[in-house]
Amino acid sequence: MYNQTEIIKDTSELGADGELVINMGPQHPATHGVLHLVVTLNGETIKKIEPHLGYIHRSIEKMCESLTYRQFIYVTSRMDYLSSHINNLGCALLIEKGMQIEVPDRAKYIRVILSELTRIASHELWLGAMAMDLGAFTPFFYAFREREMITDIMEDTCGARLTMNYIVPGGLMYDLHPDFQKKVKAFITQFKSKVTEYEDLVTNNIIFQSRTKGVGILSAEDAISYGCTGPVARASGVSCDIRKIYPYEVYDKVEFDEVLETAGDSFARYMVRVKEMNQSIRIIEQLIDNIPEGDFVGKTKNVLKLPKGEFYTRVETARGEFGVYVVSEGGTTPHRIKFRSPGFSNLSVLNHISVGSMIGDLMASMGTLDLVIPDIDR
Amino acid sequence: MFLKEYITDVVTGVISLLKGMRKTGYYFTHPKEIITEQYPDNRATLLMSDRFKGEVVMPHDANNEHTCTGCTACELACPNGTIKVVTKFETSPEGKKKKAIDALVYRLELCTMCNLCIVACPSDAIKMAPNFEHSVFDRTKLTKVLNQPGSKIRKGIE
Amino acid sequence: MFSLEGITTNVQDWLLMKFNPTMALAIECVIVILLSISLFALLGLVLVLMERKVAAHIQIRLGPNRVGPGGMFQTVADTLKLIMKEGLVPDKADKFLFNLAPFVVMMVGMLLLAPIAFAKNFQIWDISIGVLYISSVSSLSVIGILMAGWASNNKYSLIGAMRSGAQIVSYELSAGFAVLTIVVLTGSLQISEIVNAQQNGWWIFKGHIPAVIAFVLYIIAVTAETNRAPFDLAEAESELTAGFHTEYSGMRFALFFLAEYINIFIVCAIGATLFFGGWMPLHIGNWEAFNHLMDYIPSSVWFMGKTFFLIFLIMWFRWTFPRLRVDQLLNLEWKYLLPISLFNLLLVAVIAILGWHF
Ligand code: SF4
Ligand code: SF4
């Protein structure tokens, strides 16, 4: 075990051969949160990256063990706060699966639409933040303009902008806002007209391309062996979209493509996310006019009790596979709970893909891994 | 051949940069596109979504009556102990003893706006208010008693 | 008509009348120093505000709008805040160099003001090797940055300073070559002569394509030299937090901040002088009426207008482009800008010898 002075000494003095050890974070503009990277440099070249975690650990899993099945869902919004809706959905699905609760079709449709909106919002934020990491400030504001429309929709329907907690076991907390469809359609129109803007400002920009092409290459084998999921793995050509492989809700009824790229570099990861936004729009367009009438919540008992046993569900968040694993003793609270968060595995490749590249490349690789620190450090 | 590649490199690069500049230039010259809200100035016209979860309130009608029966369902539903229902026994005119609330203590600083209490309440006695300006200088001000002083339960609510 | 020229001659005559020549010179020096310091302060305030406004409007925001009408006094308030802040010096910093560095950077900016012609006959020092002086003095600012980076005893600062060293040294070359093309066309190093040579048309119009290329190269190179995005690697806030001035706070930080804007002003002023005819009004061929009309606009307005146009251009770059990586930055210079500028210089030499320019 280290004591504190040793840590400071350890990370602040020159290493062997004049290596420079710098602490990026926990307060650093590019780590977007409290990630602490101990980076060993040789000049500008990265020799080693060690992520240090624990700065925002809230022991959410332990906390969930003392909450009832209705209550613990809202806590998961605080993990990957950009996909909070999808996290909630994962937990609700687990309970519905365990207790065989029938979910009305209307709720299923709405859940999917909101999930896709969440995904777009998350990708928009990521796009802006990553462009900012690479030194372009302006796309951030343009991306936020579109994201703002989604948060407004969320605010109307769910009552909150980020931590919605709109999903309850068996359906939804309350019905859609009457304006929902109109606003979503307005958003789709706006989004489609503004997509070219990102292309002009970011995608086709020669500086952006040279900063990201061939940077942080992750091979398909490595992606699998590190357990990467989501856009990170799909950019390396690994097909892993839960929505396609284990379709939940109504994903088997809609048409969409799993976006795959083969290059595995930062630019491929960028392209996957940008194309995914378009696919999400496609899903929403198919569903928005066909939301069936009916109940928004199914019949559930007042007190939920999961039968004795082990349960696992997975959903595709904006960052990859989010898994919920619950061991139940038959009581009203989970006996043990474990979340499989996509960010943790995605972060673990950071060292692998950045060794030998430059500090500037680290920003590109880290940006395109799309890390949300509270998701890594639960 | 090399020279040709070199020149196309330069030209395509410059064109891509110019395209970006055209976009930002467009926004610079079109102040109508500005989307910022002048927040403290536009308080009067600020439109909050009617469902916005800002804080839990208990609506009272003109006779200072609410519909809370003191059933403590909300207290049980709350994941983090934000609500404490303090009950008392009231004697009705007929001499029957009846449970009623003394105080519904709500601690805003603990609340996560998860809405579970509202859903749990059987008599719709509490609801979310779209008020978001909560900052105070003293933390104790955030602990509120939701039922108004002297308020009573509305007739006919069991 | 309002003219700065008259004022300077009047002041000089009056001083010579009252005092002996040495004394008069000394007083003039003091006046010039005071003037340039106040110009610095004013420019800093105006340019920072302008940058924030430009950035805001590009980013569909409003920008500062609370202090004073339209946020006009925002930068004044910021400066007051910075003055009142405590200036921390890190524990193991080299105190002397740490304190000296911001002043070195500022001093370079001040020295560069000397040969700039702000208006007709309004120039501090019309030195015969003006252009040479500018390119030699401007390269000194890297010393201040290196000093700051080294003395801070901070690894981010050190990396930032080293980056900026590599950057400024390389971009000096193409900036120099771009300037040389104009020198070749004019045949003189003196600023006043360069301006006078553009009497009947600015070099950017008269010099054919090579002058345009030289101008583009110049703008790119000076953007890099002044450490502005997309070449702001020395600060690179997402990588190095704040680069060479990470450890600076309070007034010392303000000096660095100010120096950045002063440097932008100066390089843009030089650019305006070389390519856009400095204070020369826009003259088109023999449209007498139009030319006369243009003459009515005071020369100082012409100069400032051109300079601020170039400053706007540089700000526009900053808020549009992502940052380059350090090796790409050097690639750009050595593989693209330098060969192009060498070739361009050759072209200009041919044009100048054959007298193809107007
Ligand atoms: S909104 Fe949630 S946290 Fe707040 S009082 Fe109700 S149940 Fe408790
Ligand atoms: S607010 Fe509703 S749930 Fe809470 S005690 Fe009153 S009636 Fe019961």
Side-chain angles (χ1 to χ4, degrees):
Chain A
M1 285 304 281
Y2 279 118
N3 66 37
Q4 199 174 1
T5 45
E6 266 174 356
I7 292 178
I8 290 168
K9 205 167 153 234
D10 188 47
T11 55
S12 68
E13 253 147 51
L14 285 187
D17 318 326
E19 285 168 356
L20 206 58
V21 181
I22 60 174
N23 287 294
M24 278 199 180
Q27 305 289 333
H28 188 276
T31 53
H32 297 300
V34 283
L35 179 63
H36 178 189
L37 298 176
V38 179
V39 186
T40 313
L41 295 173
N42 185 356
E44 286 259 346
T45 316
I46 293 166
K47 300 197 78 177
K48 198 172 82 189
I49 297 176
E50 265 182 77
H52 284 197
L53 300 176
Y55 290 93
I56 192 163
H57 188 81
R58 295 146 295 168
S59 62
I60 281 187
E61 284 155 358
K62 198 74 199 161
M63 222 152 94
C64 289
E65 286 168 16
S66 63
L67 297 175
T68 67
Y69 288 110
R70 271 190 206 283
Q71 288 172 343
F72 91 86
I73 293 179
Y74 92 97
V75 187
T76 56
S77 309
R78 271 84 182 160
M79 289 164 42
D80 180 353
Y81 48 80
L82 294 180
S83 326
S84 58
H85 191 84
I86 311 179
N87 291 353
N88 295 164
L89 178 58
C91 302
L93 282 176
L94 179 123
I95 297 163
E96 284 150 15
K97 187 169 128 191
M99 298 185 56
Q100 270 118 34
I101 300 172
E102 265 305 310
V103 181
D105 270 353
R106 182 175 174 82
K108 285 186 181 173
Y109 274 66
I110 296 170
R111 281 175 175 189
V112 169
I113 294 173
L114 286 176
S115 300
E116 293 311 311
L117 283 177
T118 311
R119 192 182 317 279
I120 298 172
S122 166
H123 285 348
E124 294 266 15
L125 189 138
W126 156 82
L127 182 103
M130 186 211 52
M132 198 141 93
D133 283 351
L134 295 182
F137 290 87
T138 307
F140 186 78
F141 291 89
Y142 298 166
F144 256 63
R145 176 187 49 196
E146 269 79 72
R147 183 174 177 273
E148 185 64 24
M149 294 187 80
I150 299 182
T151 46
D152 275 350
I153 294 171
M154 295 291 182
E155 190 183 325
D156 271 353
T157 291
C158 316
R161 300 163 70 83
L162 204 60
T163 49
M164 276 78 96
N165 194 36
Y166 181 55
I167 291 182
V168 294
L172 307 166
M173 201 168 255
Y174 23 77
D175 207 357
L176 279 184
H177 194 271
D179 280 350
F180 182 76
Q181 267 135 318
K182 202 177 79 205
K183 282 203 171 174
V184 170
K185 278 178 197 156
F187 164 72
I188 292 175
T189 332
Q190 158 96 356
F191 181 84
K192 282 187 172 162
S193 68
K194 298 296 181 191
V195 157
T196 54
E197 226 156 71
Y198 308 140
E199 274 164 18
D200 282 351
L201 272 177
V202 189
T203 318
N204 294 333
N205 187 302
I206 179 97
I207 302 177
F208 176 78
Q209 289 198 358
S210 53
R211 280 295 299 274
T212 49
K213 276 194 177 155
V215 168
I217 297 176
L218 178 68
S219 67
E221 294 83 59
D222 288 331
I224 293 172
S225 63
Y226 277 98
C228 295
T229 48
V232 176
R234 288 200 280 282
S236 307
V238 182
S239 165
C240 60
D241 196 331
I242 306 292
R243 295 174 293 172
K244 278 270 179 214
I245 308 172
Y246 304 103
Y248 49 94
E249 303 295 20
V250 289
Y251 278 117
D252 45 354
K253 291 192 201 145
V254 289
E255 261 180 46
F256 68 101
D257 301 326
E258 176 174 7
V259 184
L260 284 177
E261 292 271 337
T262 44
D265 57 3
S266 299
F267 191 69
R269 291 192 280 274
Y270 169 83
M271 281 319 284
V272 167
R273 291 207 179 87
V274 171
K275 288 181 187 163
E276 256 186 22
M277 285 201 261
N278 292 324
Q279 294 300 327
S280 297
I281 290 281
R282 215 174 127 194
I283 296 176
I284 297 171
E285 276 180 333
Q286 290 172 43
L287 296 180
I288 190 71
D289 283 323
N290 304 323
I291 303 176
E293 292 299 321
D295 284 343
F296 57 86
V297 66
K299 283 264 169 305
T300 51
K301 292 204 200 75
N302 239 349
V303 179
L304 300 177
K305 277 185 189 159
L306 225 56
K308 207 171 157 100
E310 295 176 13
F311 303 91
Y312 185 73
T313 49
R314 41 181 141 195
V315 286
E316 179 80 15
T317 73
R319 271 153 209 81
E321 177 184 334
F322 172 73
V324 192
Y325 173 69
V326 168
V327 180
S328 169
E329 298 270 89
T332 55
T333 59
H335 178 63
R336 277 281 176 276
I337 194 162
K338 157 92 184 123
F339 296 114
R340 186 242 179 252
S341 69
F344 188 80
S345 326
N346 291 354
L347 169 70
S348 59
V349 296
L350 185 61
N351 180 42
H352 180 75
I353 63 176
S354 341
V355 168
S357 55
M358 306 208 153
I359 304 180
D361 293 338
L362 175 61
M363 300 310 135
S365 330
M366 198 155 68
T368 50
L369 287 181
D370 193 8
L371 305 172
V372 165
I373 314 304
D375 178 40
I376 299 165
D377 234 359
R378 292 177 289 280
Chain B
M1 256 312 84
F2 166 74
L3 203 65
K4 198 179 152 206
E5 232 174 70
Y6 184 87
I7 291 172
T8 40
D9 256 18
V10 173
V11 171
T12 49
V14 169
I15 287 175
S16 80
L17 297 181
L18 287 180
K19 269 190 182 161
M21 285 180 65
R22 201 184 65 192
K23 265 275 116 74
T24 45
Y26 168 80
Y27 281 110
F28 181 77
T29 48
H30 288 71
K32 261 206 231 87
E33 301 267 357
I34 287 176
I35 50 163
T36 7
E37 299 222 1
Q38 297 296 300
Y39 161 56
D41 299 345
N42 68 355
R43 264 218 191 93
T45 56
L46 194 66
L47 273 182
M48 290 304 292
S49 175
D50 45 354
R51 286 187 188 177
F52 183 77
K53 297 187 271 195
E55 70 172 317
V56 177
V57 293
M58 182 181 284
H60 288 68
D61 62 10
N63 303 332
N64 203 10
E65 285 173 346
H66 54 73
T67 58
C68 173
T69 55
C71 68
T72 69
C74 52
E75 187 179 334
L76 289 172
C78 181
N80 40 26
T82 304
I83 292 182
K84 279 272 166 308
V85 182
V86 184
T87 48
K88 63 181 178 196
F89 282 96
E90 259 177 9
T91 351
S92 61
E94 295 96 66
K96 257 203 278 174
K97 274 204 169 173
K98 202 175 131 206
K99 202 162 120 186
I101 72 163
D102 190 11
L104 197 136
V105 183
Y106 169 67
R107 302 185 61 186
L108 182 57
E109 75 266 36
L110 291 182
C111 183
T112 53
M113 316 301 166
C114 66
N115 214 32
L116 289 174
C117 52
I118 317 283
V119 176
C121 178
S123 51
D124 289 337
I126 43 178
K127 64 167 196 157
M128 281 288 179
N131 164 30
F132 61 94
E133 290 164 331
H134 291 314
S135 46
V136 286
F137 284 109
D138 184 358
R139 200 176 59 161
T140 53
K141 290 213 180 85
L142 292 174
T143 304
K144 305 176 177 181
V145 175
L146 293 190
N147 51 325
Q148 284 170 10
S151 61
K152 281 205 305 291
I153 182 165
R154 197 174 300 153
K155 284 255 157 43
I157 307 282
E158 281 310 315
Chain C
M1 198 179 73
F2 167 75
S3 152
L4 292 170
E5 185 187 354
I7 300 173
T8 46
T9 34
N10 282 348
V11 169
Q12 178 149 28
D13 289 348
W14 184 79
L15 281 173
L16 283 177
M17 223 162 63
K18 290 267 174 189
F19 305 98
N20 63 18
T22 330
M23 203 50 197
L25 191 66
I27 293 175
E28 271 172 30
C29 275
V30 172
I31 294 174
V32 163
I33 288 171
L34 287 180
L35 276 182
S36 45
I37 288 177
S38 42
L39 178 75
F40 262 39
L42 194 70
L43 273 181
L45 297 179
V46 170
L47 287 180
V48 174
L49 186 70
M50 173 175 166
E51 168 112 287
R52 292 181 62 175
K53 278 286 186 191
V54 169
H57 279 265
I58 282 179
Q59 297 170 343
I60 46 178
R61 296 184 287 126
L62 281 173
N65 59 359
R66 297 282 139 166
V67 191
M72 252 164 61
F73 301 122
Q74 179 66 49
T75 43
V76 180
D78 284 347
T79 318
L80 279 179
K81 181 201 77 176
L82 281 173
I83 289 173
M84 285 189 289
K85 266 187 155 178
E86 180 187 3
L88 285 173
V89 182
D91 192 19
K92 285 189 187 157
D94 185 330
K95 302 258 169 4
F96 177 65
L97 290 184
F98 187 84
N99 289 324
L100 187 63
F103 294 100
V104 171
V105 176
M106 278 306 275
M107 230 130 67
V108 174
M110 295 228 176
L111 285 177
L112 280 174
L113 275 185
I116 293 177
F118 287 94
K120 200 173 182 187
N121 290 339
F122 191 77
Q123 200 173 358
I124 297 173
W125 188 23
D126 191 13
I127 182 177
S128 63
I129 50 161
V131 173
L132 193 62
Y133 171 87
I134 286 166
S135 30
S136 50
V137 172
S138 67
S139 45
L140 286 178
S141 71
V142 69
I143 294 178
I145 291 177
L146 281 175
M147 241 184 216
W150 177 256
S152 305
N153 189 30
N154 176 319
K155 289 168 197 168
Y156 286 125
S157 308
L158 186 61
I159 297 175
M162 291 303 156
R163 279 178 172 189
S164 119
Q167 180 180 335
I168 293 183
V169 167
S170 1
Y171 277 83
E172 203 89 290
L173 284 171
S174 28
F177 278 120
V179 170
L180 271 189
T181 51
I182 300 302
V183 173
V184 168
L185 286 172
T186 321
S188 165
L189 289 168
Q190 198 165 355
I191 294 284
S192 56
E193 294 221 358
I194 292 178
V195 176
N196 281 333
Q198 305 180 61
Q199 177 91 54
N200 53 350
W202 305 343
W203 278 126
I204 193 137
F205 302 133
K206 283 203 302 181
H208 300 292
I209 294 172
V212 177
I213 295 178
F215 171 67
V216 173
L217 292 175
Y218 179 80
I219 279 287
I220 296 175
V222 296
T223 314
E225 257 196 88
T226 46
N227 283 325
R228 295 276 299 178
F231 307 102
D232 59 344
L233 289 158
E235 302 173 22
E237 71 164 42
S238 62
E239 297 163 28
L240 304 177
T241 58
F244 65 89
H245 57 59
T246 306
E247 293 289 355
Y248 282 87
S249 53
M251 210 46 217
R252 292 193 200 90
F253 167 74
L255 283 182
F256 271 121
F257 201 61
L258 196 60
E260 181 186 332
Y261 287 95
I262 300 300
N263 280 333
I264 296 166
F265 175 79
I266 286 167
V267 295
C268 288
I270 295 166
T273 310
L274 295 179
F275 298 95
F276 291 90
W279 49 262
M280 274 293 168
L282 179 64
H283 283 175
I284 302 179
N286 29 14
W287 296 10
E288 289 299 332
F290 178 79
N291 291 351
H292 268 300
L293 200 68
M294 288 292 147
D295 281 340
Y296 272 106
I297 302 173
S299 53
S300 49
V301 173
W302 275 108
F303 175 78
M304 282 296 168
K306 290 167 190 173
T307 309
F308 273 83
F309 168 71
L310 290 187
I311 292 174
F312 171 70
L313 207 61
I314 284 184
M315 288 179 179
W316 193 359
F317 289 156
R318 168 160 184 186
W319 299 108
T320 308
F321 301 137
R323 182 182 302 122
L324 277 93
R325 202 170 60 208
V326 66
D327 58 328
Q328 289 164 350
L329 179 93
L330 297 181
N331 270 351
L332 175 70
E333 164 65 19
W334 297 100
K335 285 194 186 158
Y336 293 92
L337 296 191
L338 192 62
I340 294 175
S341 50
L342 277 172
F343 179 74
N344 195 37
L345 188 61
L346 209 66
L347 213 63
V348 164
V350 171
I351 287 179
I353 290 170
L354 298 180
W356 281 351
H357 58 90
F358 310 112

